[in-house]
Amino acid sequence: MISKKNATYILTILFTGLYFPSFSQSQWTYDFNNALLPIENAGPALKPLGQAGQFIKEKIPGSEDLSRTTYRFEKNSGLQFNNSEAKGFLNKSFTVEIYFKLDELDSWKRVLDFKNRKSDYGSYIYDGKLNFYDFAIGEKAPVKANQYVHYVYSRDFETKIIKMYINGQSKLEFKDPGTEGMLDNDQVLNFFQDDLVANHESSAGSIALIRVYDRVMTPVFIRKSYQTISKDYRETAKSENEKPEVVTSAPEKPVRSNSNLVNVTGRVYDGKNLKPVNDAEVTVRKSVNDSLVALAKTVNGIYKFELTPFESYKISAQADGFQSRSIAVKTTNRYEEVKSLISLSAETYDAPLRTLYFTQSTEVLEDEALSEIDSIVSYFQRRPDLKIILKGHTDNTGNFEKNLDLSRKRVETVKTYLTGKGIPENRIEGAGYGPAQPNRVNQSETQKKSNRRVEVWAEPVKR
């Protein structure tokens, strides 16, 4: 029998995320042990929508005497987060995390409403799929009536990329066509209550946790959060009394947890000496839409995944000191095992890591260029041994001196953006070359467009 002291500690871990000491920025956590107030001090209280709900103690699965407090709401009711009271907490990049269950899933069921019931657009679950009406719909997700599900929604303010996860797995990723995934002037985020346009796309249900962050949380963090929240209490109690087993090598044959999935195992190795590359980051993305499916680190060069059959995937490996590499994998039948090898070559610096393109006569970073530069910021943050070289270029339209000045301004724009992301200014060098170094001959608008660019190069820091 677990003691009351340990029981309290376990529940705190499960629902407040104390397994993650990296919360350096703001968040508000609602576990309903303090009614509709967050567990953090001085935070905004949630507001009931529709019919006021009830606070109910629910037994935690697998326990004999442990329970959690949940908020039970009726159909077309729910809760509201007031962003004005939170001083604009959700006005830029943000993430919303919910652990909940719905009574019915027979049709469209509202999850998040960003326009305070004035629009039919927003986040739904439809036929077991994640949906942002009417711009994007994801693949089938493990969402069932009367069963708790871990749901995460994030929106990046700069790239406008919206991502949605179920039970730690990325299920939908798309670019917001405007500001549909952001709050409007009413500055409120509504949970579960439907809009006034359709007004019948809702379900009764229960919420065990709501947490909002003022930033986009990473896929690895989301997966860990799901594993912690959904963990059986007995596993947590055991971890309090026993030291965790240290895994020094990957098993020769992975254990299959779901026989309907395809076992994909592989090895990442140094192509020069054939030695395994340990701690390489391996990601799996769907070929059809590039959505992230899984992420892992190699142990003695080995990685393993269980993937849905009859799908095409791209598996990518990245490790410090090596060039990243991707391979295509297609899963055909259930029960099969797919083996894959990824050979990595030593990192070289004879080509730009990214090329950012600009509109004629401007130095403004547009959405596509922002997405490209954001994709390598974390790389340079992890690699203080590298400096960044920026090379600015233009097409040959107009005066040479003006083009030279424009190419320098483009470099300065990119440099300013990188320093704003935390890259030290002394690690960035750059120069503008005007039209002197074209990528292609300036004979058509398409060719000229490829010359209006800033190339981002990496170069080792000399010691």
Side-chain angles (χ1 to χ4, degrees):
M1 182 67 66
I2 187 170
S3 68
K4 288 185 178 180
K5 181 179 179 181
N6 282 339
T8 301
Y9 181 70
I10 291 166
L11 288 173
T12 302
I13 289 174
L14 286 173
F15 292 103
T16 65
L18 292 182
Y19 273 173
F20 310 116
S22 59
F23 290 151
S24 58
Q25 300 183 52
S26 297
Q27 67 187 46
W28 298 118
T29 306
Y30 302 86
D31 65 359
F32 308 107
N33 287 308
N34 195 23
L36 297 180
L37 288 169
I39 66 172
E40 298 87 359
N41 292 328
L46 297 174
K47 174 188 174 183
L49 294 174
Q51 183 177 339
Q54 294 179 303
F55 298 99
I56 297 175
K57 290 285 187 180
E58 285 188 359
K59 182 181 176 182
I60 294 180
S63 70
E64 295 179 1
D65 56 356
L66 293 183
S67 62
R68 61 189 169 209
T69 303
T70 64
Y71 181 81
R72 174 69 188 175
F73 58 93
E74 298 303 316
K75 190 171 184 178
N76 210 23
S77 299
L79 292 169
Q80 182 183 88
F81 178 87
N82 191 312
N83 194 47
S84 296
E85 293 179 2
K87 300 179 180 178
F89 188 81
L90 302 178
N91 281 350
K92 292 199 172 181
S93 296
F94 66 90
T95 301
V96 180
E97 178 182 14
I98 327 171
Y99 196 57
F100 69 95
K101 64 180 179 181
L102 297 179
D103 294 0
E104 302 173 359
L105 284 173
D106 54 334
S107 61
W108 296 84
K109 301 303 174 190
R110 171 76 78 171
V111 180
L112 298 176
D113 170 21
F114 301 94
K115 309 302 181 186
N116 200 19
R117 309 192 73 190
K118 300 187 297 291
S119 170
D120 205 22
Y121 296 145
S123 167
Y124 296 84
I125 293 174
Y126 174 65
D127 189 30
K129 299 176 182 178
L130 301 190
N131 182 287
F132 194 100
Y133 182 79
D134 63 342
F135 301 110
I137 186 167
E139 63 180 33
K140 196 84 171 179
V143 184
K144 297 180 181 179
N146 293 301
Q147 183 173 307
Y148 275 98
V149 65
H150 182 255
Y151 175 98
V152 176
Y153 171 101
S154 70
R155 185 186 188 276
D156 188 290
F157 181 73
E158 293 168 343
T159 65
K160 296 186 178 181
I161 296 298
I162 291 174
K163 297 182 180 181
M164 298 161 74
Y165 301 77
I166 284 290
N167 292 349
Q169 297 287 335
S170 174
K171 293 297 180 181
L172 184 59
E173 180 176 335
F174 67 101
K175 186 173 182 179
D176 193 340
T179 56
E180 301 304 332
M182 292 186 67
L183 303 184
D184 63 7
N185 292 335
D186 286 351
Q187 287 291 286
V188 293
L189 175 63
N190 293 341
F191 297 85
F192 304 112
Q193 188 182 36
D194 196 24
D195 56 82
L196 297 172
V197 180
N199 199 32
H200 61 272
E201 298 167 341
S202 64
S203 170
S206 298
I207 318 170
L209 176 77
I210 292 177
R211 188 186 283 126
V212 292
Y213 308 86
D214 66 348
R215 62 210 185 276
V216 172
M217 307 309 292
T218 66
V220 173
F221 181 94
I222 291 168
R223 179 185 289 270
K224 287 182 178 179
S225 184
Y226 163 65
Q227 291 170 346
T228 300
I229 291 171
S230 62
K231 185 180 294 184
D232 188 298
Y233 97 98
R234 288 171 297 189
E235 296 176 19
T236 310
K238 181 179 178 182
S239 69
E240 288 300 295
N241 300 308
E242 298 180 7
K243 291 183 178 180
E245 179 184 0
V246 178
V247 179
T248 57
S249 62
E252 292 184 3
K253 291 186 178 181
V255 177
R256 187 184 303 279
S257 62
N258 187 335
S259 60
N260 288 326
L261 298 178
V262 177
N263 240 345
V264 177
T265 61
R267 180 171 176 263
V268 180
Y269 64 96
D270 186 333
K272 184 176 181 180
N273 55 29
L274 303 184
K275 291 183 178 180
V277 177
N278 194 35
D279 213 31
E281 184 177 271
V282 182
T283 59
V284 181
R285 292 182 177 272
K286 282 201 168 185
S287 299
V288 64
N289 57 11
D290 204 40
S291 62
L292 182 66
V293 175
L295 182 149
K297 293 251 184 175
T298 58
V299 178
N300 287 347
I302 303 296
Y303 63 86
K304 57 177 182 175
F305 299 103
E306 288 185 329
L307 302 177
T308 306
F310 310 111
E311 295 277 5
S312 295
Y313 298 94
K314 180 177 70 174
I315 300 180
S316 303
Q318 179 176 304
D320 291 347
F322 294 92
Q323 297 184 67
S324 60
R325 188 184 173 201
S326 299
I327 61 171
V329 170
K330 187 172 183 179
T331 56
T332 53
N333 299 312
R334 295 180 174 87
Y335 319 119
E336 74 172 349
E337 291 195 6
V338 176
K339 297 183 185 265
S340 55
L341 297 175
I342 301 180
S343 172
L344 297 184
S345 302
E347 200 166 39
T348 60
Y349 310 101
D350 53 3
L353 296 180
R354 292 290 187 276
T355 301
L356 317 174
Y357 295 100
F358 292 77
T359 300
Q360 173 75 47
S361 304
T362 76
E363 68 270 20
V364 177
L365 279 168
E366 298 185 349
D367 290 345
E368 187 174 345
L370 286 171
S371 179
E372 287 292 324
I373 195 171
D374 280 340
S375 68
I376 57 169
V377 166
S378 61
Y379 170 76
F380 283 115
Q381 288 172 337
R382 292 196 319 270
R383 298 293 305 275
D385 59 314
L386 298 177
K387 62 182 178 181
I388 304 169
I389 309 297
L390 304 176
K391 300 180 181 181
H393 306 273
T394 68
D395 62 28
N396 66 348
T397 304
N399 179 273
F400 180 87
E401 292 298 329
K402 288 184 178 179
N403 279 329
L404 188 61
D405 183 57
L406 177 60
S407 67
R408 291 167 179 161
K409 287 180 179 178
R410 287 173 175 170
V411 167
E412 276 304 309
T413 297
V414 177
K415 182 177 180 179
T416 300
Y417 188 83
L418 288 170
T419 56
K421 290 288 187 178
I423 306 295
E425 187 175 357
N426 61 8
R427 285 182 59 197
I428 307 173
E429 298 178 7
Y433 300 92
Q437 297 181 6
N439 189 39
R440 299 176 66 184
V441 179
N442 289 287
Q443 293 182 338
S444 68
E445 175 55 27
T446 299
Q447 292 170 329
K448 289 184 177 183
K449 184 178 180 180
S450 70
N451 293 328
R452 301 192 289 263
R453 70 199 192 279
V454 168
E455 296 173 346
V456 183
W457 295 68
E459 185 177 301
V461 175
K462 294 180 181 178
R463 307 256 181 212

